[in-house]
Amino acid sequence: MSALRLLLCAAVLAVVALCASGSRHALAGDLLDTILESGELRLGVRVDAPPFSRLEDGRPAGFSIDLCALVAEEIATMMPEGTDLAVSHRPVGTGQRFDALVTGHIDLLCGATTATLARRQKAAFSLPIYLTGISVAMREKTGTGSARGTGTAAATIERVARNGPSAEAGLRLGGLVLGVRRDTTAADWLDASPLPTLTGTKTRPYESHDSAFAALRTGEIDVYLADRTILLGQIAVQGGAGVMLGEAFLTHEPYALAVPRGEERLRLIVDRVLSRLYRSGEIATLYERYFGPPATSTLAFYRLIALPE
């Protein structure tokens, strides 16, 4: 076999391998065109991040899921006459969600996803959909010495985050087990913080928010660090008896939807849908469904970030 024929065969095999892998836009010039031609929109969903994205009776539900459904409705209006858009939901873990975008396993990520500069190397983010921050959840009997039975442990963690470790912090927090969910901004923050350096303090990672919060409630861990809205969602689902939240936000976490990097036509549709929702004020109804009546400042935030046509 000639070298040219070998090269052609290798190219054909590479194309077949890409198709078999389920990737749709590794070879595509434009993901939006691919979606319209195939008639399918693939949504990546988290199963453990209420009230943004979770499974209820086996079906995806949540604030982000509803926003992505509105995007799907917009794309459906662009389908060729007489054809429908099929929407499929694909569960993704925190460690694989961005790779799922890169490989073409999903087209749009709908979850509780913080937009960061580092993550923009793999994904293109929409306008913000929610603002939150990492907070402390603990059992009410957490702490040692004078911290036991009070909110002092949370206050001490917040103080260490602001000012660094101290002898007092070591006495109050030494021996505590700090839980965190793998592959999250909370995990990155904890690794970079001085908390793991305190004598006797242990860090325990978990594969899901569900399992981590359950571990907090049963006493397997003393403190759980996660985005505050995620913590409130877990309290709503699992119950909050014996659990208290710290008062401070330790970080700034702007949530957004995400598409593969470089897919600007698809991101434009997402931002157009969000902007219309924000400008019209209809976001208030959707927001209240999951978080209660929005504050005036919340509605002002959505109006300010909405883009004009």
Side-chain angles (χ1 to χ4, degrees), residues 52 63 128-132 229 253-256 278 287 291 301-302:
F52 295 93
F63 183 68
I129 63 170
Y130 194 87
L131 290 181
T132 186
T229 312
E253 307 286 330
Y255 284 0
Y278 298 170
Y287 185 100
F291 310 109
F301 160 75
Y302 284 118

Side-chain angles (χ1 to χ4, degrees), residues 24 33-41 79 84-86 107:
R24 299 201 307 171
D33 285 341
T34 304
I35 293 169
L36 296 175
E37 290 168 6
S38 68
E40 182 184 16
L41 175 65
M79 291 288 294
D84 297 321
L85 178 69
D107 306 316

Side-chain angles (χ1 to χ4, degrees), residues 52 60-71 73 110 286 289-290:
F52 295 93
F63 183 68
S64 300
I65 301 301
D66 286 355
L67 291 176
C68 284
L70 294 175
V71 174
E73 289 177 8
C110 315
L286 183 59
R289 184 182 306 166
Y290 294 101

Side-chain angles (χ1 to χ4, degrees), residues 63 66-67 70 73-74 272-292 294 298-299 302-303 306:
F63 183 68
D66 286 355
L67 291 176
L70 294 175
E73 289 177 8
E74 180 75 9
R272 180 173 289 129
V273 169
L274 294 177
S275 291
R276 289 173 180 170
L277 189 68
Y278 298 170
R279 287 198 312 267
S280 68
E282 294 177 13
I283 184 64
T285 301
L286 183 59
Y287 185 100
E288 184 170 359
R289 184 182 306 166
Y290 294 101
F291 310 109
T298 300
L299 297 178
Y302 284 118
R303 286 196 300 270

